[in-house]
Amino acid sequence: MSGVIEIEGLRKTFRSVRKGHRVAVAGFDLLVEAGQVHGFLGPNGSGKTTTLRALLGLVRADAGQMRVFGADAPQSLPQVAHRVGAIVESPQFFGNFTGHRTLRLLAVAGGVPVSRVDEALEQVGLRDRGHDRVKGYSLGMKQRLAVASALLKRPELLILDEPANGLDPAGIREMRDLMRTLAGNGVTVLVSSHILAEIQLICDHVTIISRGQRVTAGPVTEVLAGFDRNECLVRADDLTRAEQLLQAAGLTVTAHADHLVVGGVPDPTLISRTLGEQDVWVRELTPVRPDLESVFLELTGAGQQPTLPRQTDGGSAPGLSGAPSIDLDEFRGVQA
Amino acid sequence: MNLIRAEAERLAARRFVQLMVLLLMLAFVVTAGTTLASSHTPTSAEVAAAEQQAAAERSVIEREHARCLARDRGEAWAQDRNHYLPADCSEIDPVVQGWSPTAANYLTDVFTFTQQAEALLYFLVAFLVLFGFLVGASYIGADLNSGGVVNLLLWRPRRMTVLGTKLGTLLGAVLVLSVLASVAYLVTFWVIAQVAGYPGPTDATFWADLAARWGRGVGLVLFATAIGFALATVGRHTAAAVGAVLAYLVVWEMGGRIMMQILDVSRPDQLLLSNHVGAWLAGELRFWDATPCADAFTGYCNGTYPLTWHLAFVVLLLFTAGLTTTAFAVFRRRDLI
């Protein structure tokens, strides 16, 4: 199988006299195929940025093979660089240059028509501020400028490392729309982010990395389906009796203060039918679907690590189905 | 070519570069203004009086030289022990020494181009050396520190090409600026001497000597620029270059000099870069070394030795090339994180 990005067995250890050795990536594999919007997830320090930097020739890999558009990376990157737009972490720019000048210098260096600068600024919503100095930009505006720099060459492959960093909700939505538009135009997108809800909304495929190794990969729907425990959240007028009836019906029930979580329910109507027949009336019956955040935390164990993900945007992410998100402790309780 | 154009534009747009050019212009204006204000065109009477004084002084020097030669020939009139004459008569030979008094030496409050050109040139070279070093260091240091190099490498993933283009563009820009600034500087002072001072006696030798010093000065500016660039590349930061130079000055030029004196190292002065810089600019510097005279308890012992610009060129070139090669080798393998 050939992909736009192929990484096999990537290894990278940082060696420092003071800090000793630190294994950043330990035999990581990644496959991104043409046309995908591919989410790349992992906790802080899991090796995401190192992987992207190695792919783009910014750090030297100790072992492994990498190919971009079939060209060996980083040796043959110059042959395909014009097809790849990338930002890695939060790029910084000279504060005294305007956004327009920053992009123009890149365009000149890369042999891209300077007319593309205004188009790229327009694409990221910075056209009106293009002639302001970068030092006057907010973090979000700098991030947009970085994305604009990646878009300058009309890339066929866009690699975005934490593109939503510093963006406000409106900016995040614009970024999401932009990526969808690009994907709609046939651009392959590899996006790493710690805002898992965003990844779930815009990506069709996902790879999760933890401690330098891939822990899962595949279409988002398949990854989520693998963690679906057929659970339902139930609220009823008589919660104690409802619990007894459902347990009597052979279902796994976990009681909470104002609701029950019922497991092993292939069809939710089984619950309403069981309770209704005994005059216990259901007030709420919601299938509990795992979302990417739950899966992510489950797979990476990030919630139990001393170092948590930098941010999860203030809470749980909505699930694909629109079901309410799951409280992590509850989710683990259900697993148990 | 596109990369060179982008780098030239990036360099010119740097605030620090603009500030340094402004300082250069300010120094230029202040120096020229001060000179213009404190000088006047000498009257023919002043020139005549100065020429008379110079002629008198020349005859004294020539007489002393003649007496010295007569002493060496054993002529009786020159054997007065109370009259000091050097052991080596060439030391007071005006032809060998290449200097004899001229009217310019006796004109007061008059800017004389031939007298001042060398000092003015050295001042400009010193400024341009500082300019080249700091701009060279900050150009790559700020780029490495801010992620500008990473941005560029995402577009042009050829490290050696990117770094080479940066250094080449930098050296080219500094060369152009140095040539333009020094020509404008010397021409301005030449004009000041013409309209409000005294040009002095200029001949082909004077111009050739000035041109040679100018050429070597510009060369030194390029060496300093490359060294600043290389040190900042290795250290990843502008401050690393400045720190390295300060460390060198304190550790080697001061500490090393003291250690060499304690250890009686032969010809220690030739082991110090600052002396090679001086020799490169001046054409030749002479130093005294006690080692050959250690056994000379009586009689004349000449312990001096020269540092010529030829040797200085080789030393400075090897030093700069070594640092630059190291910088490229380090950058080629470095993880850019």
Side-chain angles (χ1 to χ4, degrees):
Chain A
M1 188 186 297
S2 68
V4 173
I5 296 175
E6 297 164 273
I7 298 177
E8 293 164 19
L10 177 66
R11 288 181 181 277
K12 174 65 184 175
T13 300
F14 289 106
R15 294 173 174 83
S16 162
V17 175
R18 278 187 302 152
K19 298 175 184 172
H21 292 187
R22 183 174 68 80
V23 178
V25 183
F28 178 70
D29 301 328
L30 174 71
L31 177 66
V32 178
E33 293 183 82
Q36 286 183 356
V37 180
H38 197 111
F40 186 25
L41 307 179
N44 275 359
S46 59
K48 294 191 301 292
T49 299
T50 301
T51 299
L52 296 182
R53 285 182 185 273
L55 182 69
L56 295 166
L58 300 175
V59 303
R60 294 169 65 87
D62 297 329
Q65 290 186 323
M66 296 179 286
R67 282 179 292 279
V68 178
F69 290 116
D72 287 335
Q75 302 89 329
S76 303
L77 268 184
Q79 293 162 20
V80 295
H82 64 284
R83 301 168 69 186
V84 183
I87 59 168
V88 184
E89 276 195 322
S90 295
Q92 295 182 13
F93 304 98
F94 282 121
N96 288 320
F97 286 10
T98 65
H100 192 277
R101 169 173 260 169
T102 301
L103 294 191
R104 194 163 62 82
L105 288 173
L106 283 175
V108 170
V112 171
V114 176
S115 59
R116 270 294 295 155
V117 171
D118 284 329
E119 293 170 16
L121 287 170
E122 179 83 49
Q123 274 183 290
V124 298
L126 270 183
R127 183 157 192 163
D128 292 342
R129 301 290 303 275
H131 291 282
D132 290 354
R133 287 186 176 169
V134 172
K135 67 180 175 188
Y137 283 12
S138 66
L139 181 61
M141 290 168 71
K142 286 178 185 166
Q143 199 67 17
R144 287 165 192 248
L145 183 62
V147 175
S149 74
L151 293 175
L152 264 183
K153 0 178 193 181
R154 296 186 199 276
E156 295 168 48
L157 168 64
L158 192 58
I159 298 173
L160 302 173
D161 190 13
E162 306 283 6
N165 256 3
L167 294 182
D168 56 20
I172 291 174
R173 184 175 198 147
E174 286 171 25
M175 194 63 71
R176 185 196 311 154
D177 292 342
L178 175 64
M179 278 190 254
R180 278 182 177 151
T181 306
L182 291 168
N185 291 335
V187 176
T188 305
V189 181
L190 174 64
V191 55
S192 87
S193 177
H194 59 272
I195 303 179
L196 304 173
E198 279 305 306
I199 293 286
Q200 190 164 329
L201 284 171
I202 61 176
C203 295
D204 46 47
H205 284 69
V206 68
T207 294
I208 298 179
I209 182 174
S210 179
R211 295 186 175 89
Q213 292 182 313
R214 186 174 77 179
V215 289
T216 192
V220 172
T221 47
E222 285 182 20
V223 169
L224 291 175
F227 285 80
D228 194 344
R229 309 280 191 263
N230 292 327
E231 291 170 334
C232 285
L233 183 149
V234 178
R235 286 193 170 89
D237 57 354
D238 186 345
L239 211 56
T240 310
R241 192 145 171 260
E243 184 183 356
Q244 293 166 351
L245 291 171
L246 291 171
Q247 279 177 336
L251 298 172
T252 309
V253 182
T254 308
H256 294 266
D258 63 343
H259 68 275
L260 305 174
V261 174
V262 183
V265 191
D267 180 6
T269 59
L270 175 65
I271 294 174
S272 56
R273 204 167 49 242
T274 303
L275 297 179
E277 283 170 355
Q278 300 299 323
D279 290 336
V280 176
W281 303 109
V282 173
R283 284 197 277 120
E284 182 181 343
L285 179 59
T286 310
V288 177
R289 298 275 182 254
D291 59 13
L292 208 46
E293 180 173 290
S294 310
V295 173
F296 173 83
L297 292 170
E298 178 72 9
L299 284 171
T300 63
Q304 297 162 341
Q305 287 178 353
T307 306
L308 287 167
R310 275 171 283 193
Q311 183 190 340
T312 51
D313 264 12
S316 306
L320 274 179
S321 62
S325 55
I326 313 164
D327 177 78
L328 177 61
D329 293 331
E330 280 189 22
F331 182 75
R332 291 212 172 101
V334 170
Q335 300 302 308
Chain B
M1 199 60 208
N2 285 337
L3 194 54
I4 294 173
R5 195 153 67 90
E7 286 304 314
E9 194 176 334
R10 189 192 307 272
L11 184 62
R14 295 285 313 283
R15 184 65 72 86
F16 184 69
V17 174
Q18 293 168 351
L19 179 70
M20 290 297 284
V21 171
L22 199 67
L23 279 175
L24 175 64
M25 290 169 70
L26 190 67
F28 182 89
V29 169
V30 168
T31 320
T34 309
T35 306
L36 197 59
S38 61
S39 177
H40 71 277
T41 308
T43 61
S44 51
E46 283 179 299
V47 173
E51 281 175 350
Q52 259 188 338
Q53 277 184 280
E57 188 62 29
R58 277 197 300 272
S59 69
V60 169
I61 292 171
E62 282 162 9
R63 193 165 60 241
E64 287 299 292
H65 183 231
R67 184 176 185 140
C68 187
L69 295 176
R71 180 203 63 189
D72 288 355
R73 287 194 300 272
E75 294 177 21
W77 68 275
Q79 301 299 326
D80 183 359
R81 285 181 175 275
N82 294 324
H83 189 97
Y84 171 76
L85 287 171
D88 181 3
C89 293
S90 68
E91 287 181 27
I92 55 170
D93 183 347
V95 177
V96 172
Q97 294 301 318
W99 183 86
S100 65
T102 64
N105 298 114
Y106 302 96
L107 287 170
T108 53
D109 295 333
V110 174
F111 169 70
T112 307
F113 183 79
T114 50
Q115 292 272 33
Q116 302 293 326
E118 190 180 305
L120 287 168
L121 183 65
Y122 284 162
F123 167 71
L124 182 69
V125 166
F127 186 94
L128 289 172
V129 164
L130 183 70
F131 175 90
F133 180 83
L134 291 179
V135 166
S138 77
Y139 178 49
I140 186 68
D143 242 13
L144 283 169
N145 204 242
S146 71
V149 168
V150 168
N151 276 353
L152 199 52
L153 286 172
L154 293 177
W155 281 71
R156 301 287 288 257
R158 293 179 192 273
R159 291 191 181 201
M160 294 298 96
T161 305
V162 165
L163 195 68
T165 305
K166 278 185 175 290
L167 178 58
T169 307
L170 173 72
L171 290 175
V174 170
L175 176 64
V176 169
L177 179 80
S178 300
V179 169
L180 291 178
S182 49
V183 167
Y185 192 71
L186 290 175
V187 166
T188 300
F189 282 99
W190 172 252
V191 171
I192 289 173
Q194 294 285 353
V195 299
Y198 181 62
T202 54
D203 53 16
T205 309
F206 168 79
W207 289 116
D209 182 62
L210 190 65
R213 288 174 196 270
W214 171 77
R216 292 197 299 268
V218 171
L220 184 64
V221 173
L222 295 181
F223 283 139
T225 305
I227 289 169
F229 183 91
L231 288 174
T233 303
V234 173
R236 298 179 189 235
H237 207 286
T238 309
V242 179
V245 170
L246 289 176
Y248 166 77
L249 289 175
V250 172
V251 173
W252 186 243
E253 293 277 341
M254 292 172 70
R257 187 189 295 264
I258 292 168
M259 287 305 297
M260 285 189 282
Q261 282 174 354
I262 292 171
L263 297 171
D264 282 335
V265 174
S266 175
R267 297 188 172 190
D269 294 293
Q270 66 182 1
L271 300 176
L272 302 173
L273 270 181
S274 58
N275 292 331
H276 287 284
V277 169
W280 168 249
L281 278 180
E284 181 181 302
L285 288 183
R286 296 195 74 83
F287 295 96
W288 192 79
D289 180 35
T291 314
C293 300
D295 301 326
F297 295 107
T298 57
Y300 173 70
C301 171
N302 184 3
T304 64
Y305 66 94
L307 273 188
T308 63
W309 69 264
H310 305 90
L311 176 64
F313 174 70
V314 173
V315 169
L316 292 174
L317 185 67
L318 287 177
F319 182 74
T320 308
L323 273 182
T324 308
T325 306
T326 304
F328 274 78
V330 167
F331 185 72
R332 184 169 178 271
R333 297 186 57 84
R334 168 178 290 162
D335 287 337
L336 295 170
I337 50 177

